[in-house]
Amino acid sequence: MNLTGSELGSGHQEFLAPQAFAAVLLQVLVSLRAELFLFCAAGVAYILLFSNRVPKKASRSSASKKAKLAEEESRDVSFSESAVPSNVVEAQAALQNAFEAGDHRKVQRCWSFLKGSTSNLETVSLASLVESMQRLGKEHPMILREVKLFLEKSAPETAMRSANELLESLGKRMDTPLMTRVRELLPSVAVVPNQRTYEIFVTAHFATRNFADVKQVMIEMEAAGVQPSVSIAVVAMKVALKQNSWEDAMQHFGRLKGSLKQANATCSTAPRHIITQLVELACKESKLSELIEHLYGISLGEEVFNVMLCECIRRRDGSLTGDVEKLAQDQGISFSEATYALLLRCRTGDPTRIQQIFEEVVSKGQEVTPDFAFSLLACCSQTHNSKLADRLLEYMKPKQVPVLSAFVRFYVEVEQLEKACDVYEQEILPQCSSSALLDARLQRTVMNAALRCGRSNLAKIFLESSPSDIAKHITMIRSYASAGNLTGAIEVFRSLQQSGAELNSIVYNTVIDACVECRDLETAEEWMKVTKEAGVADVVSYNTMIKAHLHQGNFSKARALMRQMQDEGLQPNRVTFNELINAMVVKGRSYEVAEIWNIVQEMRAAGVAPNQVTCSILLKNLQATSGNKEIRETLSLIKAIEEPMDEVLLSSVVEACVRIGKPEILADMLKQLRNSQSISITGSHTFGSLIKAYGRMQDMENVWRCWNEMRGRRISPSSITLGCMVEAVVSNSDTEAAYKLVKELREDEQCRGALNAVIYCSILKGFAREKKIDRAFAVHEEMCDRNIEMSSVSFNSLINACARCGRMDCVPQLLADMERHGIQPNVITYSTVLKGHCQMGDVKAAFAILKDMREKTNMKPDEIMYNSLLDGCAQSNMVEDGMRLLQQMLDEGVPPSSFTLSVLIKLMSRARKLDEAFRLVDELSRKHKLTLNVHVYTNLIHACVTNQALPRGLELLDEMVERWVQPENRTYACLIRGSLSQGQCVQAEKLLRAALGLNGAPEKLANRCAQVYNFDRALLNETLLDLVDRGFAQELAAPLIADIHQMKPHIHVDPATQRRVMSGMARRGSPQEWTAQSGKTGRSGKGYGKGADRFRQ
């Protein structure tokens, strides 16, 4: 067979392939020879070591298990005759010895002998027997059978004792499953669990942190009527504390105290750490005051009182601190320095108690720690008690620099600069080789104090120690500026410049600010040029100069600087715009209201959002004369700012709302603030503003809420805040409550100093308004007894009370008292006496007072005095005397007011001179540019009605509405009653619709200005009843009530009035008929008196 070359090559390759594979395999084996050797050695070693042991089968069938178990049991229970004890006593002893020796099989053999006997098993330990069975691997069913047999053979007492011993042994080994099954077994052998049984289970479950089972055991124990032991109560308390359950903890604490009492033990045996944890939980739940009552008779450690005092500090509760101190006194606890330091922090606002605490420390000779010193100095700082700080320094003689530094800062704070410098030079400086070792804050404090008290040598020590320290030089420049020494400030700058330090914009701005503070604007402008030349002029530099020019009233220069800084690429910031707006508001030029808002718009256009400061400035500009647009824009701006409202802005908003006199705006704002949770109030001034606002709204509930909240936070009220509170209560006709509050504060050491003559005068004015003259004189006597400074205001308030109560006989004595106190009567005094005589009808005595004032003093009667005399003339119908008095008033240059016009109308009306009344009003209002208010119009309308000129009065009502003068209840009362008296019932009904804002009102009165928002309900019911009596129940009264129900559901119509209307229309129709006729009042008939046509639509 012939083969080609290619075929021959292919065959040759196939032949060589196995040989190549073998060669490769051999090469691999050679490279792995070490690993293969080790593997083989390990296999040989395993065979040699473990070849004689046969592993058990991994699984067995259920039948084989049972067979094995039965075989094991038979083997265990059988023993040779030679091992059988001769008697029961020997068997019991052998069982115990076998258990102690660890021979558990012998224990089982002994038990097998004993359970076959009839003897008592009192000495046999069931716990040992069960443990042996467990060691031998017995299953629970077998163990439970043996336990049941043991308990059945034992006496009841022995069974109970043995069961408890067994349960306790299982509990120690935390074998709760077997414990539970043993417990379930007990009822079958007539063994009732006792206190010890429950105690074992409670302890075991607590050890395994199974708190739910602990509670369940407690419930079962209570159901069984078993009283808990001390240990059970302690464990139950631990569980409650672990779960932060206050009610459960207190319940178990009460049981613990009861258990101790039954056991004739003392509460001091309770674990102290449990009491500490209970106190901590009480602090967490704000229940400390409740717990303190239960802690008497329990021995408490100092750490417990420290926890309590820390809670008092957190809550700032002085009364709670007093309770803790009382408990400590009962315990006889001797406080350490750390506890005294905490107690000082609790009593920060009680200078008397602080002094007592320090005296206690001194009397005991205790060493004062730094913490105690810091706490006491903090208390002294709040009360500015430098004498106590001096005593502390003398007693302590501190050497620690931090403590001495605290003394230095305290003395600087209370303006004892010399003392601060002495402490530094005599105590601190010798300990520090260089002032550079001290912290920068202390250095600036001492340097500032040294400059202010003229000890420049001490200040220079700091500068010499670090000649290039910019912060120190800035502090010295500011100190010189505060003292008005601009030359010294500039010299400090020169020295810093010569030191070679790199000067930044802050240094230059400090010098410019010093020039402005020293009111040297020319030098400030020169330094501004220097700053520009140095290339460090920034926004702060320009703002300082703008502020200086604004203080000078140079608005044009300030605006020019703003343009200049923009030209130089600097953008005005909030400070720039706020300073400009504030300057405009302070100057108060009326034509700048629009310009102010132009600045706000410019501020927004520049990308600078208004902030809280901007809003506070704009709020200052709101007054009672401010327009609605300005008010709306300001309040909208407040809502639009991104920053949350802080306490200062809150106070400004409330005060502005009170100032503008818009009740609806104030009510809405207070509602928003009350619902807001983001504002935290910490100052008494803000609380005062809120109290004033709520008082103005007659919302006494929130007035007292604010007051109680402030007192609950331990915020001491200032005189202004207290004045706002008293005024709010008095103005709401509850002067007795205000006086009671003053008496309570008089006994409070923290608030006693806030009481002053102004507050007592508010009480006097309140009793005067309420015509309680006896109470007013009682307050006056108290003021005299307590050496309250008397003033003309207090005496004038008493005279006013006499005038209101008709007790003018008391006035001479008051005037004599004024003279005895060295107080001269003023115009208000004479005016009040004069007014009292006029109200008594003794106008001649009033004129005598006026004559006496003219002769004995240089005072001239004012408009109020003339008005009082004119009112007296009107009451006595002395027209000629009144006109002469008016002429005298005008001759003396005393301008009349709207009240003067009202009195003159009354004077002329009673004299039946209606035209003269109109003439006087027109003439005086034109001459003195008086705007007629609602009182003047109402008095004119009343004069028209009483002088039988009702149409003229109706024309005045139209004129009022046309001029946007809103009528009041008295205005409509005059016209409605006048119309009804003249038989014009339709006219009366139309007027009532206009007052209520209902459909069917006359065309000229059909707008909001004619509406009375708080219409007198008595007048409404009176008018409806009058219409019924005149036979217009169905035609007028019923439709009116229907419209009220439909359009004004908040207006209450008396049910008795509605019944009268329904009974009045019963003869002519049903309620459904007159309801359908609502608004159809334009009919003719009886009662449409003369002049009713003008009211028909």
Side-chain angles (χ1 to χ4, degrees):
M1 184 176 181
N2 297 325
L3 297 174
T4 64
S6 59
E7 291 174 345
L8 182 62
S10 175
H12 182 68
Q13 290 178 357
E14 291 178 359
F15 176 77
L16 293 177
Q19 294 179 350
F21 175 76
V24 171
L25 179 61
L26 180 62
Q27 184 179 359
V28 170
L29 291 175
V30 171
S31 64
L32 295 176
R33 61 184 181 276
E35 288 81 355
L36 291 174
F37 175 78
L38 291 174
F39 176 77
C40 295
V44 172
Y46 178 80
I47 293 172
L48 293 175
L49 291 174
F50 302 105
S51 60
N52 60 339
R53 296 193 182 188
V54 180
K56 295 182 179 179
K57 292 184 179 181
S59 60
R60 299 176 183 177
S61 63
S62 176
S64 62
K65 283 184 179 180
K66 293 180 179 180
K68 180 70 176 179
L69 181 63
E71 181 183 355
E72 186 178 357
E73 290 178 0
S74 60
R75 185 174 65 251
D76 290 340
V77 297
S78 61
F79 51 91
S80 60
E81 291 296 331
S82 60
V84 176
S86 59
N87 53 49
V88 173
V89 176
E90 291 182 4
Q92 292 177 351
L95 188 150
Q96 187 62 34
N97 293 334
F99 176 78
E100 293 176 357
D103 189 354
H104 299 296
R105 294 190 180 277
K106 185 174 180 180
V107 170
Q108 296 301 310
R109 290 193 295 271
C110 294
W111 164 240
S112 297
F113 175 82
L114 289 173
K115 69 181 181 182
S117 67
T118 58
S119 303
N120 191 356
L121 303 177
E122 183 175 356
T123 60
V124 178
S125 173
L126 178 60
S128 301
L129 179 61
V130 170
E131 184 175 351
S132 294
M133 286 191 286
Q134 286 182 312
R135 294 291 181 89
L136 294 173
K138 306 299 182 183
E139 299 291 338
H140 283 182
M142 180 181 178
I143 295 175
L144 291 173
R145 287 198 302 270
E146 299 301 320
V147 170
K148 182 178 180 181
L149 179 62
F150 184 96
L151 296 176
E152 288 175 345
K153 293 178 64 65
S154 302
E157 294 182 359
T158 303
M160 186 73 262
R161 176 179 55 76
S162 299
N164 286 342
E165 290 177 355
L166 171 60
L167 291 172
E168 184 175 8
S169 175
L170 294 174
K172 290 179 179 180
R173 300 199 300 273
M174 296 186 182
D175 192 352
T176 52
L178 184 57
M179 288 180 66
T180 304
R181 299 190 67 176
V182 170
R183 181 183 172 190
E184 295 171 352
L185 173 70
L186 294 181
S188 63
V189 293
V191 175
V192 179
N194 59 9
Q195 186 185 76
R196 177 60 182 162
T197 310
Y198 288 110
E199 180 179 323
I200 293 169
F201 272 95
V202 166
T203 305
H205 287 314
F206 180 78
T208 58
R209 295 296 185 266
N210 197 341
F211 300 144
D213 286 347
V214 173
K215 288 187 176 182
Q216 184 62 34
V217 172
M218 294 292 296
I219 293 173
E220 293 177 3
M221 182 180 66
E222 186 175 356
V226 178
Q227 293 295 326
S229 65
V230 174
S231 298
I232 293 176
V234 169
V235 172
M237 269 194 67
K238 289 181 178 179
V239 171
L241 293 172
K242 290 287 185 182
Q243 296 182 330
N244 293 326
S245 177
W246 166 253
E247 294 181 357
D248 290 347
M250 286 303 297
Q251 180 182 1
H252 297 311
F253 181 63
R255 288 177 177 175
L256 175 61
K257 295 180 69 174
S259 300
L260 291 170
K261 185 176 181 180
Q262 290 182 357
N264 294 324
T266 61
C267 293
S268 60
T269 59
R272 287 192 175 183
H273 69 279
I274 296 294
I275 303 300
T276 304
Q277 294 176 15
L278 181 61
V279 171
E280 291 174 349
L281 179 60
C283 295
K284 183 178 180 180
E285 300 293 331
S286 299
K287 300 286 187 181
L288 183 57
S289 57
E290 179 182 338
L291 175 63
I292 288 177
E293 301 175 1
H294 301 277
L295 293 180
Y296 284 91
I298 297 178
S299 179
L300 305 175
E302 187 178 3
E303 66 279 0
V304 175
F305 286 97
N306 290 347
V307 173
M308 294 183 185
L309 291 175
C310 289
E311 175 66 8
C312 295
I313 294 171
R314 186 183 68 84
R315 293 176 55 183
R316 300 180 181 179
D317 193 336
S319 59
L320 182 61
T321 304
D323 294 340
V324 174
E325 288 189 84
K326 185 178 178 181
L327 177 63
Q329 293 174 358
D330 181 77
Q331 294 275 326
I333 297 294
S334 180
F335 288 161
S336 65
E337 295 84 355
T339 308
Y340 274 122
L342 293 174
L343 190 57
L344 283 174
R345 294 174 60 189
C346 294
R347 293 295 191 180
T348 301
D350 189 351
T352 304
R353 181 58 185 143
I354 290 171
Q355 185 75 34
Q356 293 174 353
I357 293 171
F358 179 70
E359 297 297 340
E360 289 179 19
V361 172
V362 173
S363 62
K364 293 179 180 180
Q366 290 183 330
E367 181 182 356
V368 176
T369 61
D371 288 340
F372 182 88
F374 294 147
S375 300
L376 186 57
L377 285 175
C379 299
C380 295
S381 179
Q382 289 196 4
T383 57
H384 287 71
N385 190 348
S386 58
K387 293 183 179 179
L388 183 57
D390 293 341
R391 288 197 58 198
L392 175 64
L393 181 63
E394 181 182 357
Y395 176 77
M396 186 180 182
K397 294 182 175 57
K399 298 299 181 183
Q400 305 96 325
V401 174
V403 178
L404 292 169
S405 300
F407 275 100
V408 170
R409 284 191 286 268
F410 167 76
Y411 285 122
V412 171
E413 186 175 348
V414 297
E415 297 296 324
Q416 291 195 12
L417 307 179
E418 289 284 353
K419 184 73 173 178
C421 294
D422 290 341
V423 172
Y424 175 78
E425 281 191 314
Q426 299 173 11
E427 304 294 340
I428 298 180
L429 199 56
Q431 298 187 45
C432 301
S433 58
S434 173
S435 60
L437 299 176
L438 301 175
D439 64 279
R441 181 186 173 188
L442 179 63
Q443 292 183 41
R444 290 193 296 269
T445 301
V446 176
M447 186 169 63
N448 192 15
L451 290 171
R452 290 172 61 188
C453 66
R455 297 173 69 164
S456 56
N457 292 333
L458 180 58
K460 290 180 180 179
I461 294 176
F462 292 99
L463 295 182
E464 292 173 356
S465 63
S466 51
S468 60
D469 191 334
I470 295 178
K472 292 180 180 179
H473 285 77
I474 289 175
T475 301
M476 184 167 272
I477 291 172
R478 290 172 178 169
S479 299
Y480 276 123
S482 300
N485 187 356
L486 182 58
T487 305
I490 294 175
E491 288 179 357
V492 174
F493 174 83
R494 299 298 184 196
S495 65
L496 178 61
Q497 193 175 37
Q498 293 173 2
S499 67
E502 183 178 354
L503 303 181
N504 54 23
S505 60
I506 300 176
V507 182
Y508 284 95
N509 291 338
T510 304
V511 178
I512 295 174
D513 190 60
C515 297
V516 173
E517 188 171 356
C518 295
R519 299 185 178 182
D520 193 341
L521 189 56
E522 183 178 352
T523 306
E525 290 179 342
E526 293 176 359
W527 274 97
M528 184 65 185
K529 294 178 182 179
V530 173
T531 305
K532 290 180 180 179
E533 293 172 357
V536 292
D538 57 7
V539 177
V540 177
S541 311
Y542 280 98
N543 284 344
T544 306
M545 294 303 301
I546 289 172
K547 181 178 179 180
H549 286 295
L550 289 174
H551 285 177
Q552 297 290 331
N554 196 343
F555 288 88
S556 59
K557 184 65 175 176
R559 295 291 284 173
L561 280 172
M562 286 183 64
R563 290 190 294 268
Q564 184 179 348
M565 67 185 296
Q566 289 174 339
D567 293 340
E568 295 186 6
L570 297 174
Q571 180 64 35
N573 57 13
R574 286 193 180 99
V575 177
T576 313
F577 288 106
N578 288 340
E579 287 290 346
L580 195 61
I581 296 172
N582 184 63
M584 293 179 176
V585 170
V586 171
K587 294 300 179 183
R589 293 186 292 182
S590 59
Y591 66 86
E592 286 183 347
V593 173
E595 188 177 350
I596 288 173
W597 284 98
N598 289 337
I599 297 297
V600 175
Q601 295 301 327
E602 181 183 343
M603 183 178 184
R604 288 173 167 172
V608 181
N611 60 356
Q612 296 175 351
V613 179
T614 314
C615 295
S616 297
I617 295 170
L618 293 172
L619 286 168
K620 290 192 299 183
N621 199 43
L622 294 182
Q623 304 295 333
T625 57
S626 299
N628 291 330
K629 180 180 179 182
E630 183 183 359
I631 295 172
R632 286 195 304 270
E633 288 181 349
T634 305
L635 296 179
S636 299
L637 186 64
I638 294 172
K639 295 178 181 179
I641 61 175
E642 299 177 355
E643 301 172 331
M645 182 180 292
D646 62 0
E647 192 173 351
V648 177
L649 182 57
L650 167 64
S651 180
S652 300
V653 169
V654 173
E655 291 178 359
C657 290
V658 172
R659 197 166 53 246
I660 61 180
K662 301 285 185 181
E664 63 279 4
I665 296 178
L666 178 59
D668 181 62
M669 186 59 64
L670 290 175
K671 183 179 179 180
Q672 294 179 23
L673 296 175
R674 190 164 56 247
N675 295 333
S676 175
Q677 302 295 329
S678 60
I679 305 174
S680 177
I681 305 175
T682 58
S684 65
H685 176 75
T686 309
F687 277 110
S689 299
L690 288 172
I691 289 170
K692 182 179 179 181
Y694 283 120
R696 189 67 61 90
M697 293 298 301
Q698 299 181 347
D699 187 356
M700 292 307 299
E701 180 181 354
N702 279 303
V703 166
W704 285 106
R705 180 186 63 80
C706 289
W707 175 261
N708 292 330
E709 182 180 351
M710 180 185 69
R711 298 293 289 145
R713 295 185 185 180
R714 306 299 297 173
I715 299 175
S716 299
S718 63
S719 298
I720 297 175
T721 305
L722 182 54
C724 290
M725 181 64 190
V726 171
E727 186 62 32
V729 178
V730 168
S731 61
N732 284 276
S733 305
D734 196 2
T735 311
E736 288 290 352
Y739 190 35
K740 180 181 179 181
L741 177 64
V742 169
K743 288 183 176 179
E744 292 175 356
L745 295 177
R746 196 174 57 215
E747 304 301 325
D748 191 336
E749 295 181 356
Q750 297 183 14
C751 303
R752 189 180 301 160
L755 295 173
N756 54 26
V758 177
I759 294 172
Y760 277 98
C761 286
S762 297
I763 303 292
L764 288 173
K765 292 176 182 178
F767 282 130
R769 282 196 294 266
E770 297 174 10
K771 297 183 178 181
K772 296 179 179 179
I773 190 170
D774 294 335
R775 300 293 292 152
F777 273 102
V779 175
H780 173 67
E781 292 177 2
E782 180 181 332
M783 293 176 68
C784 295
D785 294 340
R786 296 188 174 275
N787 295 322
I788 302 295
E789 182 182 0
M790 304 298 292
S791 64
S792 58
V793 178
S794 55
F795 280 106
N796 290 341
S797 299
L798 283 171
I799 294 172
N800 184 39
C802 296
R804 288 174 176 267
C805 299
R807 294 290 305 276
M808 296 305 294
D809 55 306
C810 300
V811 173
Q813 181 61 41
L814 289 174
L815 294 174
D817 289 345
M818 287 183 70
E819 185 177 355
R820 189 174 68 253
H821 283 85
I823 301 173
Q824 295 297 324
N826 54 19
V827 175
I828 298 176
T829 309
Y830 285 104
S831 179
T832 307
V833 176
L834 184 147
K835 181 180 179 180
H837 285 301
C838 289
Q839 290 176 347
M840 295 289 294
D842 192 355
V843 183
K844 292 183 179 180
F847 275 102
I849 293 293
L850 177 60
K851 182 180 179 181
D852 186 60
M853 187 188 75
R854 291 181 184 276
E855 293 177 352
K856 293 184 178 180
T857 68
N858 295 326
M859 293 181 287
K860 293 182 179 180
D862 59 0
E863 178 241 330
I864 297 175
M865 185 175 289
Y866 277 115
N867 287 342
S868 299
L869 273 174
L870 285 171
D871 191 50
C873 293
Q875 291 180 17
S876 301
N877 202 16
M878 299 169 59
V879 180
E880 295 181 359
D881 292 335
M883 294 306 296
R884 283 197 299 270
L885 187 64
L886 175 62
Q887 190 59 46
Q888 184 180 354
M889 173 184 179
L890 298 175
D891 291 342
E892 292 187 359
V894 179
S897 64
S898 297
F899 185 79
T900 310
L901 298 181
S902 297
V903 175
L904 291 173
I905 294 170
K906 187 191 300 184
L907 177 66
M908 294 302 163
S909 175
R910 293 186 178 182
R912 302 298 177 184
K913 297 182 177 182
L914 184 60
D915 292 336
E916 184 67 15
F918 273 89
R919 185 191 66 79
L920 284 173
V921 171
D922 183 65
E923 179 182 327
L924 293 175
S925 62
R926 289 177 181 273
K927 183 177 180 180
H928 297 280
K929 298 180 180 180
L930 296 175
T931 300
L932 304 187
N933 59 19
V934 62
H935 304 294
V936 177
Y937 276 113
T938 300
N939 283 322
L940 276 173
I941 291 173
H942 183 266
C944 293
V945 173
T946 56
N947 285 274
Q948 302 300 316
L950 182 59
R952 197 171 184 178
L954 294 171
E955 292 174 358
L956 283 172
L957 178 61
D958 294 341
E959 181 183 333
M960 285 181 67
V961 177
E962 184 179 353
R963 295 186 178 184
W964 287 93
V965 179
Q966 191 171 23
E968 60 183 3
N969 278 303
R970 182 167 167 261
T971 311
Y972 280 107
C974 294
L975 292 171
I976 292 173
R977 288 168 180 160
S979 299
L980 290 173
S981 66
Q982 295 183 18
Q984 299 182 21
C985 297
V986 174
Q987 183 171 286
E989 189 258 358
K990 293 286 187 179
L991 287 170
L992 188 56
R993 285 180 174 274
L996 297 174
L998 300 174
N999 294 334
E1003 183 178 356
K1004 291 185 177 181
L1005 302 180
N1007 59 54
R1008 293 173 56 190
C1009 185
Q1011 184 178 347
V1012 178
Y1013 292 99
N1014 293 316
F1015 192 76
D1016 187 5
R1017 295 178 181 176
L1019 177 60
L1020 171 62
N1021 289 285
E1022 175 191 334
T1023 305
L1024 290 171
L1025 292 174
D1026 206 334
L1027 291 174
V1028 173
D1029 293 340
R1030 294 174 183 273
F1032 287 89
Q1034 182 171 352
E1035 290 82 354
L1036 299 178
L1040 186 60
I1041 293 178
D1043 281 354
I1044 291 174
H1045 288 167
Q1046 182 180 359
M1047 301 178 62
K1048 303 288 182 181
H1050 64 279
I1051 297 178
H1052 177 72
V1053 180
D1054 189 50
T1057 303
Q1058 298 185 53
R1059 289 194 294 269
R1060 282 282 303 278
V1061 172
M1062 294 178 67
S1063 62
M1065 60 172 287
R1067 294 171 297 174
R1068 301 183 61 181
S1070 64
Q1072 290 78 10
E1073 293 175 352
W1074 59 257
T1075 302
Q1077 298 171 356
S1078 172
K1080 300 178 182 180
T1081 60
R1083 290 187 285 273
S1084 61
K1086 180 181 177 182
Y1088 293 85
K1090 185 178 180 180
D1093 291 339
R1094 71 187 297 275
F1095 279 86
R1096 292 178 181 168
Q1097 296 181 359

